[in-house]
Structures are given as structure tokens and as C-alpha cells.
Amino acid sequence: MTDKILLSRMEAHPADSNTIARYLDTGGYTALRKALSKMEPADVAAEVKASNIRGRGGASFPTGVKWGFLPPDTRPRYLVINGDESEPGTFKDRMLLERDPHQLVEGIIVSAYALDVHQAFVYIRGEYPKPARRLQRAIDEAYEAGYLGDDILGSGFDLDVTVHLGGGAYICGEETALLSSLEGRRGEPRIKPPFPAIEGLYAKPTIVNNVETISNVPWIINNGGATYAAIGPETSSGTRVMSLSGHVNKPGDYEVVAGLTWRDLIYDIGGGILDDRELKAWVPGGASAPWFVPAEHLDTPVTIDDIAKQGSMIGSGAVIVMNDSTNVVGAAHRLVRFFSHESCGQCTPCREGTTWLERILARILDGYGRPEDIGLLLDVSDNISPGLRWPPAMTTICPLGPSATAPVVSMMRYFRDEVEAMIPGGHGEVADGR
Amino acid sequence: MSSTWSTENQQRAEEVLGKYPEKRSAVMPLLYIAALEHGYVSNDAMREVAELTGLTSAQVQSVASFYTMYYREPVGKYVVSVCTSISCYLRGADDVLAAIEEEAGVLDGETTPDGLISVEHVECSGACGGAPAVSVNWELIEGLEPDKARDLIKWLREAKPEVVFGDEMQLLFGGRPSFDWGPKEIEGAIAPLPAFSPYGTAKGEKR
Ligand SMILES: Cc1cc2nc3c(=O)[nH]c(=O)nc-3n(C[C@H](O)[C@H](O)[C@H](O)COP(=O)(O)O)c2cc1C
Ligand code: SF4
Ligand code: FES
């Protein structure tokens, strides 16, 4: 079973897949009717758990398990949808919001019913006014149709949904920073525990899920959790929207079932390498992920666990492809500059470390690299994330700081000779690389 | 309610305040409305938002300064934001930025003396499949090559559109998008802030 779940409507009806008329015409809001009329909230949660779906926002945490963390008695509870999508390489939630917003709205209502939530928020990055408009229009249509508001479809269940726009800060995608931001504070991550499910928005139990994760919920309720779980490998169930960008001939969002190989993804789906050049490396799961290279990884399967076993992550599903024209120091610099710019500044290793890494890479790029810079890059990385392992050791409140070492360590592991060749005075005498 | 604001913006503020269980949560949307009122997030704007949310001016300032989209200095009528993050970098974004700087006659971070155009580089705009990506007042253009980027600046200067529509600019100057955009949008930007009701958008029937 390889049918598309999330993109089928927009592909079949490109002209109006975002409207309520088209949504209803293609089976929309049947999951809501089914849930409200035939299922108890616990049954809905049980189906989501049975689907084995793992979060699509980056951490791949099992959604049903997360939902189970809510303390049984505390009210109110909140549901917050994470549409902050700012990890370089990622552009899937934007498509889901613009092209099929009702799918998400229905997912929100059904999930809120399962979780006994009466107020949900969708946090959308500030640079996404169009996705926010499309979603707001869908929400307005849902209110008019009686799918939102008081006594939804006569069930006695009430729900309001508020769309909140960010102000341009990647870190607000991290769930605790997102909640701080939604409370009207600086978007600074908080120390976990407590996890949001216990103490989240306004210190109340809060479930934070990604746009794509919740967009799957209507299908899961219509078809059953077990049916969803049967798609793809056991621990990477369902479909996933992968964002392909960089040096491929056909960049775009593609809905795939896990288990295909990187070769399938990059050469078949992505149409091969731009300008008929050789593939040099790719980032398998967003800017934070350690790189993969053809000699080691091209014929390995794309699943959450296979990628993790090989020392990287599927993350947000963003694949950034680099061909052999790529200057690896330039690429690493761009990635590190991003983390340096987006560091919230609370933790010294992250704030200082990312700034140093950026500066050292910039001077190598400008031709002013020093032989000791090779060792220095690894040393600074090691100070941010001791041992330079993956998943990274944490010295910081959130994983942003440690993530910033991934491009540097990857560059050194696979392309150290190219870095050395860019440093005047030649091949250094320097510290151990990995 | 800040009585110096236009009636329309006061209504917008009221609508926003009604959407959250706690007033403080409205600080971000209110900052956008204040920017619409003042042209940017001035000290007065922050004071007014403080009044509306029951925070101190210092608290509002500390929030506003955390985010990149609250301009605390005056900016141009059109803010042209060029993504120079990794996927756009790999597809030539630096050349696009250079072309825009040259055509506009200002450098990254500057505004033209006539106050029309500000140029800035930004991190990933979520349009990596349509790299290189540029936005004008947060209305997106994908697949914008350097020559077309120059045309875009010329067009802004000559046409001076009151409302900026992504679809229109994409048609005139854009290339390969991240995905099929589907139907045309009916709303566009009227200021350098996200065109999202109730922060301020304009409807229009555009080609
Ligand atoms: C620095 C950082 C940025 C993040 N950005 C996002 C984001 O933009 N969108 C998102 O859904 N999750 C993001 N996450 C993951 C969230 O913290 C959280 O795990 C996720 O929203 C939970 O939803 P899920 O379980 O459905 O994936 C980010 C995490 C970190 C550490
Ligand atoms: S690791 Fe960096 S981004 Fe995360 S909380 Fe610390 S300083 Fe902020
Ligand atoms: S890297 Fe430019 S839009 Fe994502």
C-alpha cells in the first residue's frame, strides 16, 4: 500500500484543494463525524497510538506515547500545533498549510477531542503570511460549518483555534521556546523537565505537535491506526513528506514510504544531480543533521532507525544535496552561520561556540585560515558538545548549540583534505580529527 | 485602548486581544499592528503595546528585540529579503543579493535615501525547493535569478504597488517554485509586515 495520504487531494485538485467545498467533496470531515458520534476520546487516542506515528517536527517521538503523558486530572489542557518550520531545507509544512489546510483543521479538532482540549493554537512562523491566511480562511469556514466553536455537530464538544504568527526566530520552533513566545515572552527554551505535557502553556499540560503529524490524524481515524501502522517499516510507519533541495534536478516536496534507498530518493525521485555532476554529500534531515556521503550511504534505506544507526537523523525530512562543485567550507559556513545567528544566547557554549565556529570558517573561506584552525574547529566543537558523538552530548538547555557542530564534524570527517588545501601554509600538523 | 491609533487599528487590536486567554500573549500580534500604525516599532509603539497588555515598556522592548521582524528603525516601503541560507546559497543566492544591492544602490541592511526600498539577507525562508528565494514585504518569489531580481527592483521603483501580491511577482519575475502554488491569493501586503488579517492586508483581484 503506497497510496499518498497527505498530498493526494492537492495533487488531484490543484485549483481548489484548500477550499471546504473540495475538502468535503473528497471525504473531508468524515473522521470528525466518526470520532464525535461513534468514538470515545480514549478510542481516538488509542487509534493514534496504534498507528505508531512518530512526530514529523524533528525529534521523531511517538505521538501516541506523548499524548499518554498528560496528567489525567489537570485542566485546562492545550494543544499547540508547531508550524514554525525554519530548519534550513524544510518547506513541507508550508505546502500542507497552503494547499490542504482543512486536513490540518480536521486533525486538530479530532486530536483536541481525544485530548479533552478546548483551546488550540497554531504557531506559524512570521515569514509565512500566506500559509497563515489559508489556514485562517479554513478555520473561518470550519466555524461557519459548525466544525469549530461551541457544541460541534451537536456533540457537546467545544473548541476554539487561534492562529499565532511568530516574529522571525528559528529557535521558536523548539517546543518550550515556542510556548514562551506564545505567552508573549522572548522565545527562549526552558529546561526540561518539566516537559510541556506536564507543564506547558501558562504552566498547564500542553501537547505540542508538528503540522504534518496532526495532518495525518484524519486518515488514521478514517482507516484505523493498524492500517497506518502497516504502511512501511514497523518503526517508520506511514508516509512522510520529504523536502528535497540543493543540487538535484527536481527539488520539491515528495510524500514517500520509508524504506526506499537514498539512491531512489535522490536519483529517481529527485531526478539526479544538477548539471550532470557527481554527488558529493547530502544532509539527510535538515541543517542540524550530520552529512551523508555516497560511498557509505547511497544504498542504505531511508528510515528513522537506519539513519539514526548511521549517526545522523531524519529530523524534519529535509534533504539538502550537494554536488561536486560545492565548496565544503562554504557549505559548512552557511550552516554554522545560521545556528550562530539563531542562537538565543542563554547558554555560553552555544552563544560563544557558534560565533567562533562561524568566524574560523569565514577566515578559511577568505583565504586567511591558519594551520591550527583545523584543530581549533574540532576543539571548539568539542567544547560545545563533548566527545563529538551523535546524538550529541548536551551542555546546553536545548539541542541547537550541539547541532551546530554537525556540519563542522561532517566536513572534517569526509573532506578534511579539502579544508587543509584551503589553508595557506598547507597541510597542518594538527590534532586528531574524526 | 491606545487612543492615538486609527479606529481600524484599534479594532484590530481588540480582535487580537480577544483571541488569547491571557493578554500578555497578544504582545506579538499587537507589535505588528503598532508597526502598521507607526511604520515601524518605535518607542511610542512599544509603549502603546505595553499599555494594552499590562506589561512595562521594558518588557515589551525585551520581547520586540528578540525577534528579527519587528523593525525598530524606520524601513523602506518595500523590504526586500533575500534568503542566503544553505539551499539558496547552493543555487546562487549570493549573486541574487549582489544584483539586488547593485540595482537598488544600497548594501545589505540599508534603505534607499528615498525611503522606498530596504535590502536585507535573511535565513531560510521555507522555499528551499524554489531556491533562490526572495520576498518583498514577506510575499514570496521563488526561483528568482539575478537578472530578474534586477527587474524586480526596477518594477518596485516604477510601479510602486500599494499592495504587494506574491502571485503577481512570481508570475513576473519568478522561476521554478518549491511546489505548485495552486489558486491565486486574494490578499496581499500593504506594509513591511506579514499580510495576515488582523495585522493588515488588502484584498484585491489580481491577475
Ligand atoms: C532548535 C529546534 C528547532 C525546532 N524547530 C521545529 C519546527 O520548526 N517545527 C517543528 O514542528 N518542530 C521543531 N522542533 C521540534 C520541537 O521541539 C518538537 O519536538 C515538535 O514540534 C514536536 O512535534 P512532533 O512530535 O509532532 O514532531 C525544533 C526543535 C529544536 C531543538
Ligand atoms: S543551546 Fe543555544 S539556542 Fe538552545 S537555549 Fe542554549 S543558547 Fe539558546
Ligand atoms: S534555504 Fe533559502 S529558502 Fe530555505
Side-chain angles (χ1 to χ4, degrees):
Chain A
M1 149 120 220
T2 53
D3 274 2
K4 290 185 180 169
I5 293 175
L6 296 168
L7 308 191
S8 56
R9 186 171 298 100
M10 67 182 82
E11 287 180 359
H13 306 283
D16 61 0
S17 59
N18 57 314
T19 63
I20 194 164
R22 179 59 72 193
Y23 192 65
L24 288 169
D25 184 51
T26 47
Y29 291 106
T30 50
L32 177 64
R33 289 183 188 279
K34 180 177 176 183
L36 292 183
S37 63
K38 300 202 192 95
M39 297 169 81
E40 291 299 317
D43 303 335
V44 176
E47 290 301 328
V48 170
K49 183 144 194 221
S51 76
N52 287 335
I53 186 170
R54 294 167 72 176
R56 308 296 197 233
S60 299
F61 195 82
T63 304
V65 176
K66 187 193 286 187
W67 287 13
F69 291 153
L70 285 172
D73 300 322
T74 319
R75 298 291 186 285
R77 295 165 162 182
Y78 295 107
L79 172 64
V80 177
I81 306 303
N82 192 339
D84 194 54
E85 185 165 79
S86 314
E87 176 96 1
T90 318
F91 49 98
K92 66 189 178 65
D93 296 339
R94 181 180 139 228
M95 181 170 71
L96 293 169
L97 288 163
E98 285 185 15
R99 306 298 313 284
D100 206 339
H102 280 285
Q103 182 170 252
L104 174 63
V105 173
E106 186 177 15
I108 292 172
I109 309 168
V110 172
S111 303
Y113 174 70
L115 299 166
D116 194 21
V117 158
H118 302 284
Q119 171 77 61
F121 295 89
V122 186
Y123 190 110
I124 297 180
R125 65 179 300 195
E127 298 90 334
Y128 275 10
K130 181 178 171 186
R133 295 197 293 264
R134 289 275 168 93
L135 178 67
Q136 186 64 55
R137 236 171 274 148
I139 288 171
D140 294 346
E141 289 174 326
Y143 271 103
E144 273 165 41
Y147 302 136
L148 278 173
D150 292 341
D151 192 19
I152 295 170
L153 299 175
S155 66
F157 175 65
D158 307 335
L159 177 67
D160 285 310
V161 181
T162 295
V163 178
H164 183 95
L165 247 66
Y170 162 72
I171 193 58
C172 290
E174 194 282 329
E175 56 186 7
T176 62
L178 184 152
L179 296 174
S180 300
S181 179
L182 194 48
E183 289 174 355
R185 298 168 201 280
R186 293 164 70 84
E188 288 168 348
R190 309 168 185 175
I191 292 170
K192 298 192 269 194
F195 287 89
I198 312 294
E199 218 176 284
L201 188 64
Y202 312 125
K204 297 294 181 201
T206 302
I207 292 295
V208 182
N209 272 133
N210 172 259
V211 165
E212 183 184 347
T213 310
I214 297 300
S215 292
N216 279 291
V217 169
W219 195 96
I220 291 171
I221 297 308
N222 278 326
N223 298 276
T227 315
Y228 191 91
I231 304 171
E234 198 182 339
T235 54
S236 288
S237 70
T239 63
R240 166 188 280 275
V241 183
M242 312 249 341
S243 305
L244 268 174
S245 70
H247 294 146
V248 280
N249 284 318
K250 293 196 291 176
D253 283 322
Y254 298 99
E255 183 171 6
V256 301
V257 175
L260 75 175
T261 64
W262 289 104
R263 185 186 296 278
D264 299 334
L265 188 66
I266 295 170
Y267 285 91
D268 293 348
I269 296 176
I273 309 302
L274 193 66
D275 300 332
D276 275 330
R277 301 191 72 120
E278 294 297 314
L279 173 61
K280 185 168 192 170
W282 67 98
V283 189
S288 311
W291 303 354
F292 275 1
V293 290
E296 289 180 32
H297 305 108
L298 196 57
D299 292 304
T300 63
V302 181
T303 72
I304 297 172
D305 294 340
D306 284 286
I307 298 172
K309 252 181 265 158
Q310 296 175 87
S312 190
M313 63 170 180
I314 200 158
S316 55
V319 180
I320 306 164
V321 175
M322 297 180 251
N323 70 16
D324 61 1
S325 74
T326 308
N327 175 334
V328 286
V329 179
H333 172 258
R334 262 333 133 101
L335 289 161
V336 167
R337 190 190 73 179
F338 172 79
F339 292 111
S340 167
H341 181 259
E342 301 298 337
S343 167
C344 83
Q346 285 188 103
C347 321
T348 311
C350 172
R351 185 187 61 240
E352 303 295 323
T354 55
T355 307
W356 271 105
L357 290 177
E358 185 196 343
R359 282 197 197 151
I360 299 163
L361 289 167
R363 83 177 168 219
I364 297 175
L365 213 48
D366 289 345
Y368 295 104
R370 305 165 191 168
E372 63 269 25
D373 282 349
I374 301 272
L376 196 54
L377 281 170
L378 290 168
D379 199 40
V380 173
S381 298
D382 192 71
N383 277 325
I384 303 174
S385 181
L388 300 181
R389 38 188 176 74
W390 192 267
M394 294 280 291
T395 53
T396 50
I397 296 172
C398 93
L400 184 146
S403 300
T405 65
V408 176
V409 177
S410 300
M411 175 186 82
M412 287 302 195
R413 169 187 277 170
Y414 301 115
F415 305 104
R416 185 179 174 136
D417 51 335
E418 289 183 34
V419 186
E420 286 173 346
M422 286 185 70
I423 294 178
H427 293 232
E429 54 279 1
V430 275
D432 71 314
R434 302 152 225 251
Chain B
M1 194 66 35
S2 186
S3 49
T4 61
W5 289 10
S6 70
T7 324
E8 202 183 359
N9 285 340
Q10 291 190 33
Q11 276 164 3
R12 287 180 165 132
E14 217 159 302
E15 185 187 330
V16 156
L17 280 161
K19 288 185 166 197
Y20 300 92
E22 296 189 9
K23 270 205 256 176
R24 179 173 189 147
S25 284
V27 62
M28 292 176 68
L30 288 173
L31 280 167
Y32 283 128
I33 300 171
L36 189 61
E37 182 70 34
H38 292 270
Y40 68 107
V41 180
S42 61
N43 287 337
D44 284 343
M46 289 188 277
R47 214 169 6 252
E48 289 150 8
V49 171
E51 235 173 82
L52 288 167
T53 49
L55 299 173
T56 65
S57 291
Q59 282 170 318
V60 173
Q61 196 168 347
S62 114
V63 173
S65 64
F66 186 82
Y67 303 92
T68 55
M69 289 171 66
Y70 300 119
Y71 299 113
R72 282 171 301 135
E73 304 283 337
V75 287
K77 181 179 169 75
Y78 308 111
V79 173
V80 179
S81 307
V82 184
C83 173
T84 53
S85 278
I86 183 71
S87 303
C88 289
Y89 162 80
L90 292 171
R91 290 270 189 160
D94 290 2
D95 296 338
V96 175
L97 177 60
I100 286 177
E101 286 175 326
E102 198 181 80
E103 190 62 47
V106 293
L107 294 175
D108 185 4
E110 296 177 350
T111 302
T112 55
D114 59 1
L116 198 66
I117 295 170
S118 296
V119 177
E120 62 174 16
H121 81 273
V122 290
E123 296 296 349
C124 179
S125 302
C128 331
V134 169
S135 62
V136 179
N137 293 352
W138 311 113
E139 293 295 303
L140 188 64
I141 310 158
E142 298 190 87
L144 185 69
E145 299 300 333
D147 284 353
K148 293 285 187 170
R150 288 174 192 277
D151 293 347
L152 167 71
I153 299 298
K154 286 183 200 142
W155 177 77
L156 287 174
R157 219 181 246 136
E158 281 154 28
K160 293 197 184 58
E162 275 312 310
V163 186
V164 177
F165 292 93
D167 288 298
E168 183 179 22
M169 295 188 296
Q170 178 69 20
L171 195 72
L172 290 173
F173 311 107
R176 192 184 206 286
S178 293
F179 49 82
D180 175 355
W181 285 15
K184 299 258 182 299
E185 253 312 280
I186 50 170
E187 289 172 294
I190 55 172
L193 47 92
F196 174 60
S197 167
Y199 314 160
T201 60
K203 281 194 207 262
E205 300 305 317
K206 278 285 170 179
R207 310 119 257 210

